[in-house]
Structures are given as structure tokens and as C-alpha cells.
Amino acid sequence: MADPLLLATSRDDLAGVVDRLLATVRGGNWPHGAPYRHVNGFTKIVAALYGDGSRLTLHYWPAAPGEAPDVSRPHDHRFAFTSVLLGGRQHFVELEERTAGGEAWTRFTYRPYLGGRVALVARTGDTLLVPVRTVARRPLAGTYATTSTIVHQAVTERDAPCATLVLRGPREKTRSQVYYRPGEPPPHGGLQFGRRLDRAEVLRQLADVAAMVG
């Protein structure tokens, strides 16, 4: 895996990553495939690919003043990752499955295709989840690291844009877990789709991120 210390470098180095992405898109190209709006509400842009299958990605949540925080469904990942908060306000809540004493959830497997733009979601059973740790974050101050098996929720405030730079390791499994509240309908036909973004929207978002770290 690429060195996680990459994300603990200087503000200037992190700004350089964003500036290179911005220059690439302004030049009429996508860095590594077209950016898209992930089903969890953020824009995903691949900034770098490494020979072992790890990759560096930029995640961006647009501002929505007056709206409640964006809270992702509990989920784990197919890989370990380390991330740095570039700007905005976000924290993580880590959870564990229990047989008693937790909140009821329905577990699904999540298997993405086409670089994550399409995912197959299939129910596997009911369980209970208990929060075990809350991880606060500050922009450009330290990193958050997690394994492929830790279940967590990202809680993102919407009063201002939020962005993270994520270094994900090689894929360790083909499916991850995602949890829905009981009675919450899964995607129609078991398929979940991200949304393509036009170049002008991506440029606006990258300009926001550049202002955070510039």
C-alpha cells in the first residue's frame, strides 16, 4: 500500500494534490475515470492509482445550509483506509454488532461494479448495532485510519462544504456490509447507482477544496 504518511504531509503538499486535480480537469481530462456522486452523498474523484491496487481519492460533500447533518448508513469497507479532513466538519461513529442491547438494523452485502458507480445490494439478515467509539476530526490535523472490518458512520455537517483525501489500501474482499433501518426499502431491483457529474460542477467543487487548503 502507498505510505499512509502521504496524508500527514504539509498543507502545501496536500494543496498540491488538489491543484493538480484542478489543472487536469481544467485541461479537459479526468484524472483516473470520470468523477461521480457516490450513493452516500459525496463526489468521488480518483487522484492517484498505485501498483498494489491502493488508490488516493478525494471526497467532497456540497454545502446545504439549514439542512440536518448528512449521516451515512452504517457500513464497513472492502479495504483498509486512512483519511485526512481537508475542510468542513465531520466525525465518525464506530459500531459493533451485538446479539442483545443494541439498535435493530437489517444487514445487506454491498458489491460495487464499474468503479463504484453501480452496486449490487442483497439482504443477509437482521442484527443489532451498538456505538462503541466516536472519532472527532479537525481540518488538516491528523488522520483517521480504519480496517476493512470496522463498521462506522460518517456524520458530515452541511453548513459549509466538506472534503477529505482518502488513501485506501488494496481490496481485501469482494463485498462489504451496509445496514438499513428495519422497514427501510432497499434499492429497487437490488441495484444502487451513483450519479455522473458534468465538468463544470466538478470544477466548482475542486475550486471549493482548493480554497480550503490554499
Side-chain angles (χ1 to χ4, degrees), residues 124-179:
T124 59
D126 298 322
T127 190
L128 302 173
L129 290 177
V130 174
V132 293
R133 187 167 80 116
T134 298
V135 183
R137 312 189 74 186
R138 291 189 297 120
L140 303 171
T143 59
Y144 171 75
T146 187
T147 71
S148 63
T149 60
I150 291 176
V151 175
H152 65 191
Q153 291 176 289
V155 182
T156 307
E157 301 293 336
R158 304 303 304 279
D159 53 329
C162 180
T164 62
L165 199 58
V166 179
L167 182 63
R168 51 155 282 189
R171 189 174 67 192
E172 299 174 8
K173 51 190 181 181
T174 59
R175 296 175 175 83
S176 57
Q177 311 297 320
V178 60
Y179 299 80

Side-chain angles (χ1 to χ4, degrees), residues 6-199:
L6 172 69
L7 299 182
T9 55
S10 71
R11 185 187 192 112
D12 287 345
D13 291 333
L14 295 173
V17 173
V18 179
D19 288 344
R20 287 190 292 275
L21 283 174
L22 191 51
T24 298
V25 178
R26 280 177 175 161
N29 298 305
W30 296 126
H32 297 281
Y36 65 96
R37 178 66 55 79
H38 192 278
V39 293
N40 280 335
F42 58 85
T43 295
K44 184 173 182 179
I45 305 173
V46 180
L49 299 174
Y50 303 97
D52 65 352
S54 58
R55 59 180 56 186
L56 185 67
T57 61
L58 179 70
H59 297 178
Y60 173 91
W61 289 257
E67 290 193 11
D70 180 86
V71 182
S72 70
R73 292 188 179 93
H75 61 282
D76 63 13
H77 289 268
R78 297 175 300 146
F79 41 77
F81 74 82
T82 302
S83 75
V84 61
L85 180 64
L86 300 178
R89 294 192 296 153
Q90 184 183 72
H91 67 273
F92 284 104
V93 178
E94 296 180 351
L95 308 101
E96 291 181 353
E97 288 198 18
R98 299 282 174 84
T99 57
E103 183 178 356
W105 292 84
T106 301
R107 186 195 317 105
F108 289 76
T109 59
Y110 176 92
R111 184 169 186 174
Y113 296 89
L114 300 176
R117 292 187 295 276
V118 180
L120 180 64
V121 181
R123 185 179 183 276
T124 59
D126 298 322
T127 190
L128 302 173
L129 290 177
V130 174
V132 293
R133 187 167 80 116
T134 298
V135 183
R137 312 189 74 186
R138 291 189 297 120
L140 303 171
T143 59
Y144 171 75
T146 187
T147 71
S148 63
T149 60
I150 291 176
V151 175
H152 65 191
Q153 291 176 289
V155 182
T156 307
E157 301 293 336
R158 304 303 304 279
D159 53 329
C162 180
T164 62
L165 199 58
V166 179
L167 182 63
R168 51 155 282 189
R171 189 174 67 192
E172 299 174 8
K173 51 190 181 181
T174 59
R175 296 175 175 83
S176 57
Q177 311 297 320
V178 60
Y179 299 80
Y180 284 64
R181 294 188 181 279
E184 182 183 6
H188 181 70
L191 289 174
Q192 204 165 38
F193 297 92
R195 179 173 69 84
R196 286 291 184 91
L197 303 171
D198 63 35
R199 194 172 303 275

